[in-house]
C-alpha cells in the first residue's frame, strides 16, 4: 500500500513502524540518552523510538525539542524516519538539523505498529510493505 | 515557495554549509505554513541560550553552525544565559556549568551575534519600528514587538531565529501578513489594573481564556486605560506564557488597535477572574520564602531605581536576585543604585534570570512580582511561588 504525503526532509529508509495517536513532546518527553519515551501516561511510555519509523499526529511542547532530536541522532538513538499527519516547527526543524527523513500529510491511521514501511523522503511517500 | 536567485544560491550551499542548513529550515517552514515567498527582516532575537536548556546537543549544533561559517546578516541579539557572565560565583553557579555556557556564547559570538543576553532587547538598541519585519524568539519579546511596537514577527524557536539571522529572511506567513493580524475576539477588562503584578495576573486570566478557546485567537482588549512600559512587559510575558499569544491589540494603548474594529465575539474578564488568577500564583504555604527575585522580564532602569530607593540603609535577609540586562546594570552602576543595592546584601544577576539559571533544588519558595516567573519556577524547578506587588517583594527580602 502506497500513501502519498509531503516531503519535510529527504532520505530513503526502510524500518519498523512505531505508531501513536498522541502528540510527542521531544523535550522532556523522550530521554535523549536512552531513546525511551518518558512522558507520563503517554501511549508509548517506556518504549524506545531508536531506529523505528516513528509515526505520530504532530509534535508539541518546547521548541528546545528540536535539539533533543539532534542529540538522539548523535547518540545513535534517533528514529530512522518520522511520519506525521501534520508536521509543525519543532519536529520539522529537529528532522532537518538531525537529518532524519520526514514525511507529513500521510493518513497515519493506515499504518500499524510493527508494520514494515519504506519511507521515500524526497518523494513525500510512504509504502507499507507488511 | 518562490525563491529569489540569492535565496536559491544559499539553499544550494554557495554561502557555506551553515547558511545552507539555515535556508533548508526556512524553506521547509515556509512550505509547512504555506508561505509563497521569503520576506527580508532587519532584526533577530535568538532564544535557547542557557546551557541549562540547550544541553550538550544544543551546544554541539551551535558549534557546528559556527564551524560551518554561519554569520549573522542582520542585527541579532540573544536571550538570557544561564549565569551572570561577570558575577557567577556570587550566584553559586559551578565552574563546570560556566565552562559550557561560555562555549555557547563563544559560538554565537563567532557568528557575529551580539551577546546581549536579555529578554528585553527592545529596551536597549534592538528596537524595531512600526511595520518592520523581524524574526524573534523569546515569547514575551515576540508579544511586545508585535503588539506594543507594531513590528511583525512569528513566534520563532531558537533554531529558526538563528536560521533567519544567517540568511536575513523569513518565510512570509502568520503575523507577517495583514490578514493574520486582525483580531477575532474582544476581551472586555472590568476592574482596575495598575501594578506590574496585576498586569501579570490579567495576562494569566486572559491567556487561559484564550487557551480554553483553542488558542491562536488575536484578542482586541478594551478597558485598560493606561499601561506603563513596565506593566506591558509583565503583561506580554504572562499572556505569552499562559495563552501562547503572540499578538494582541489594546484600545488606546497599542498602535494597530485604532485601525481595527472590536470583534463581536466577546469575553468579559471580571475583577474576580483577575483575583482568581492572582491567588493561583500565591501559595499560602507555611514554608518560609527562601528566594526573592525581581526582573522577569528583565528590569528597566526605572524599576532598579525604585529598588535602590526601597533598600537604602536596609539589610536583606534572604537570597535576593535582581535580574536585568548588562546595559541597564551599567546605568545603575553610574547612578550609584548598584552600590546601594549591593550594600544591602541583594545580588545583581545580569545576563541571566530565575527562569533559565540552573537553580533546581536550591530553593523551596520563591517570591516575585512576575506571573511568568511563577509558572517556570513551578514547572521547571518545582518551587512554590508567592506573587506580590513589586514593593512588597523587596520588603519580603528584608524580613
Amino acid at each position: 500500500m502506497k500513501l502519498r504525503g509531503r516531503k519535510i526532509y529527504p532520505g530513503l529508509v526502510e524500518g519498523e513502524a512505531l505508531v501513536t495517536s498522541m502528540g510527542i513532546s521531544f523535550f522532556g518527553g523522550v530521554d535523549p540518552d536512552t531513546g525511551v519515551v518518558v512522558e507520563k501516561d503517554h501511549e508509548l511510555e517506556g518504549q524506545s523510538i531508536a531506529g523505528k519509523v516513528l509515526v505520530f499526529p504532530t509534535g508539541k511542547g518546547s521548541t528546545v525539542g528540536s535539539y533533543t532530536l539532534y542529540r538522539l541522532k548523535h547518540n545513535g538513538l534517533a528514529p530512522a524516519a518520522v511520519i506525521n499527519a501534520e508536521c509543525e516547527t519543532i519536529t520539522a526543524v529537529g528532522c532537518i538539523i538531525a537529518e532524519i527523513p520526514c514525511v507529513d500529510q500521510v493518513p497515519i491511521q493506515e499504518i500499524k505498529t510493527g508494520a514494515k514501511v519504506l519511507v521515500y523522503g524526497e518523494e513525500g511517500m510512504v509504502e507499507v510493505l507488511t | 515557495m518562490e525563491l529569489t536567485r540569492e535565496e536559491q544560491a544559499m539553499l544550494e550551499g554557495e554561502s557555506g554549509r551553515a547558511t545552507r542548513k539555515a535556508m533548508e529550515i526556512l524553506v521547509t517552514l515556509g512550505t509547512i505554513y504555506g508561505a509563497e515567498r521569503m520576506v527580508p527582516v532587519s532584526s533577530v532575537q535568538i532564544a535557547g541560550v542557557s546551557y541549562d536548556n540547550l544541553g550538550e546537543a544544543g551546544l554541539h549544533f551551535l558549534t557546528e553552525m559556527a564551524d560551518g561559517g554561519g554569520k549573522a546578516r542582520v542585527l541579532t541579539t540573544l536571550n538570557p544565559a544561564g549565569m551572570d557572565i561577570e558575577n557567577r560565583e556570587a550566584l553559586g553557579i559551578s565552574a563546570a556549568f560556566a565552562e559550557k555556557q561560555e562555549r555557547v556564547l563563544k559560538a554565537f559570538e563567532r557568528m557575529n551575534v551580539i551577546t546581549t543576553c536579555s529578554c528585553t532587547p527592545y529596551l536597549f538598541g534592538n528596537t524595531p519600528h512600526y511595520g518592520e519585519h523581524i524574526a524573534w524568539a523569546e515569547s514575551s519579546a515576540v508579544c511586545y514587538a508585535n503588539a506594543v511596537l507594531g513590528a511583525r514577527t512569528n513566534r520563532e524557536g531558537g533554531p529558526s531565529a538563528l536560521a533567519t539571522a544567517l540568511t536575513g529572511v523569513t518565510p512570509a506567513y502568520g503575523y507577517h501578513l495583514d490578514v493574520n493580524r486582525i483580531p477575532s475576539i474582544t476581551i472586555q477588562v472590568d476592574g482596575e489594573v495598575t501594578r506590574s503584578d496585576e498586569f501579570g495576573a490579567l495576562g494569566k486570566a486572559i491567556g487561559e481564556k484564550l487557551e480554553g478557546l483553542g488558542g491562536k485567537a488575536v484578542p482586541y482588549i478594551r478597558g485598560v486605560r493606561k499601561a506603563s512600559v513596565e506593566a506591558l512587559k509583565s503583561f506580554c510575558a504572562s499572556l505569552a506564557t499562559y495563552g501562547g499569544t503572540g499578538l494582541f491589540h489594546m484600545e488606546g494603548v497599542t498602535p494597530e488597535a485604532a485601525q481595527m474594529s472590536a470583534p463581536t465575539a466577546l469575553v468579559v474578564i471580571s475583577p474576580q477572574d483577575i483575583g482568581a488568577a492572582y491567588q493561583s500564583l500565591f501559595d499560602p504555604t507555611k514554608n518560609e520564602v527562601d528566594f526573592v527575585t525581581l526582573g522577569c522580564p528583565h528590569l528597566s532602569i526605572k524599576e532598579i531605581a525604585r529598588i535602590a530607593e526601597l533598600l537604602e540603609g536596609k539589610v536583606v535577609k534572604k537570597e535576593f536576585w535582581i535580574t536585568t540586562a548588562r546595559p541597564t546594570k551599567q546605568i545603575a552602576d553610574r547612578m550609584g543604585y548598584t552600590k546601594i543595592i549591593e550594600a544591602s546584601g541583594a545580588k545583581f544577576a545580569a545576563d541571566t534570570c530565575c527562569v533559565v539559571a540552573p537553580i533546581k533544588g536550591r530553593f523551596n519558595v520563591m517570591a516575585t512580582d512576575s506571573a511568568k516567573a511563577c509558572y517556570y519556577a513551578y514547572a521547571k524547578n518545582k518551587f512554590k511561588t508567592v506573587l506580590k506587588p513589586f514593593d512588597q517583594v523587596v520588603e519580603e527580602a528584608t524580613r
Side-chain angles (χ1 to χ4, degrees):
Chain A
M1 177 175 53
K2 286 181 178 176
L3 304 171
R4 299 213 167 267
R6 180 172 72 168
K7 168 181 101 170
I8 298 295
Y9 194 80
L12 175 68
V13 291
E14 187 184 315
E16 189 187 317
L18 179 65
V19 186
T20 173
S21 62
M22 294 170 77
I24 291 182
S25 168
F26 288 99
F27 183 67
V30 179
D31 184 340
D33 296 319
T34 61
V36 171
V37 176
V38 291
E39 182 179 332
K40 208 176 166 302
D41 299 327
H42 197 284
E43 280 171 6
L44 299 183
E45 188 182 355
Q47 297 195 56
S48 171
I49 64 171
K52 298 287 166 58
V53 173
L54 184 61
V55 184
F56 58 104
T58 192
K60 58 175 186 172
S62 167
T63 56
V64 183
S66 302
Y67 291 130
T68 305
L69 276 166
Y70 184 80
R71 187 161 161 193
L72 284 163
K73 179 77 172 202
H74 277 262
N75 290 338
L77 297 167
V82 167
I83 301 173
N84 283 164
E86 207 57 57
C87 197
E88 46 53 69
T89 305
I90 304 162
T91 307
V93 171
C95 287
I96 296 166
I97 66 179
E99 304 188 340
I100 299 167
C102 179
V103 173
D104 85 335
Q105 295 186 348
V106 169
I108 61 168
Q109 67 281 1
E110 303 288 333
I111 310 170
K112 305 286 173 242
T113 289
K116 229 182 211 170
V117 293
L118 245 172
V119 179
Y120 300 82
E122 184 61 40
E123 293 76 15
M125 195 179 72
V126 176
E127 190 174 357
V128 182
L129 300 172
T130 54
Chain B
M1 277 186 85
E2 201 171 307
L3 298 182
T4 64
R5 208 184 51 77
E6 201 191 349
E7 289 157 5
Q8 190 62 42
M10 287 189 228
L11 188 60
E12 282 158 16
E14 284 180 24
S15 302
R17 67 172 200 268
T19 310
R20 175 197 195 131
K21 185 63 70 186
M23 194 51 95
E24 279 177 5
I25 290 173
L26 298 173
V27 169
T28 305
L29 292 180
T31 306
I32 290 174
Y33 296 110
E36 289 170 7
R37 60 187 178 88
M38 297 288 178
V39 60
V41 306
S42 48
S43 156
V44 172
Q45 164 79 5
I46 295 178
V49 179
S50 171
Y51 181 75
D52 201 36
N53 292 351
L54 282 170
E56 208 49 34
L59 170 58
H60 192 276
F61 173 71
L62 293 170
T63 307
E64 281 275 294
M65 293 300 269
D67 289 346
K71 297 281 181 215
R73 291 170 188 241
V74 294
L75 174 65
T76 303
T77 53
L78 278 192
N79 239 25
M83 64 181 192
D84 184 315
I85 296 156
E86 298 174 16
N87 191 29
R88 71 165 179 85
E89 279 171 10
L91 301 176
I93 306 294
S94 73
F97 182 89
E99 194 263 327
K100 298 288 192 186
Q101 184 64 70
E102 274 157 16
R103 283 170 59 194
V104 170
L105 295 176
K106 196 74 208 162
F108 280 121
E109 201 183 299
R110 284 165 63 206
M111 290 188 274
N112 288 350
V113 172
I114 313 285
T115 54
T116 39
C117 303
S118 174
C119 51
T120 58
Y122 49 85
L123 291 181
F124 45 85
N126 193 352
T127 316
H129 61 69
Y130 181 83
E132 199 166 353
H133 292 280
I134 62 175
W136 282 18
E138 170 48 33
S139 64
S140 71
V142 164
C143 198
Y144 194 96
N146 268 327
V148 181
L149 303 179
R152 296 181 169 218
T153 177
N154 286 317
R155 282 165 55 93
E156 302 294 345
S160 64
L162 176 63
T164 290
L166 303 188
T167 58
V169 296
T170 191
Y173 70 95
Y175 295 136
H176 290 284
L177 308 178
D178 288 341
V179 63
N180 298 319
R181 299 180 70 88
I182 297 170
S184 57
I185 188 160
T186 299
I187 305 280
Q188 173 71 42
V189 178
D190 288 346
E192 199 78 9
V193 278
T194 45
R195 299 185 315 258
S196 54
D197 55 317
E198 293 172 323
F199 269 94
L202 176 64
K204 181 173 193 276
I206 296 175
E208 288 178 344
K209 279 267 184 342
L210 294 173
E211 186 80 346
L213 297 168
K216 307 277 182 237
V218 175
Y220 181 94
I221 302 168
R222 325 175 80 154
V224 177
R225 284 206 309 268
K226 60 175 189 176
S228 65
V229 164
E230 289 76 12
L232 287 168
K233 92 180 151 60
S234 173
F235 179 70
C236 288
S238 181
L239 190 61
T241 297
Y242 293 99
T245 306
L247 167 65
F248 66 89
H249 304 293
M250 192 180 274
E251 200 172 74
V253 175
T254 65
E256 279 168 274
Q259 304 162 28
M260 308 290 180
S261 37
T264 45
L266 176 74
V267 168
V268 175
I269 300 289
S270 67
Q272 289 73 29
D273 292 330
I274 302 170
Y278 203 106
Q279 279 310 309
S280 70
L281 301 175
F282 187 96
D283 197 305
T285 176
K286 289 199 176 64
N287 293 330
E288 274 275 305
V289 169
D290 57 357
F291 184 44
V292 180
T293 183
L294 288 170
C296 173
H298 274 168
L299 294 170
S300 69
I301 191 62
K302 194 174 140 190
E303 290 173 309
I304 293 175
R306 179 66 181 156
I307 297 173
E309 195 181 337
L310 292 167
L311 280 182
E312 181 139 37
K314 302 247 172 68
V315 175
V316 159
K317 302 206 177 74
K318 293 167 183 145
E319 182 84 0
F320 184 10
W321 286 17
I322 290 158
T323 64
T324 192
R326 182 68 53 190
T328 313
K329 161 81 166 36
Q330 285 164 345
I331 303 170
D333 294 349
R334 172 177 295 175
M335 293 302 292
Y337 302 151
T338 306
K339 218 171 179 180
I340 296 168
I341 289 168
E342 289 185 338
S344 77
K347 294 171 183 172
F348 266 94
D351 312 312
T352 188
C353 73
C354 65
V355 172
V356 299
I359 52 174
K360 192 170 181 178
R362 277 179 63 186
F363 308 107
N364 295 309
V365 186
M366 184 185 89
T368 181
D369 74 328
S370 164
K372 172 177 177 171
C374 289
Y375 176 88
Y376 285 99
Y378 181 75
K380 194 173 162 226
N381 295 320
K382 307 281 174 252
F383 300 160
K384 290 181 175 165
T385 63
V386 175
L387 183 68
K388 285 189 169 195
F390 190 92
D391 288 7
Q392 286 183 32
V393 173
V394 178
E395 197 193 317
E396 177 72 51
T398 62
R399 217 169 18 218

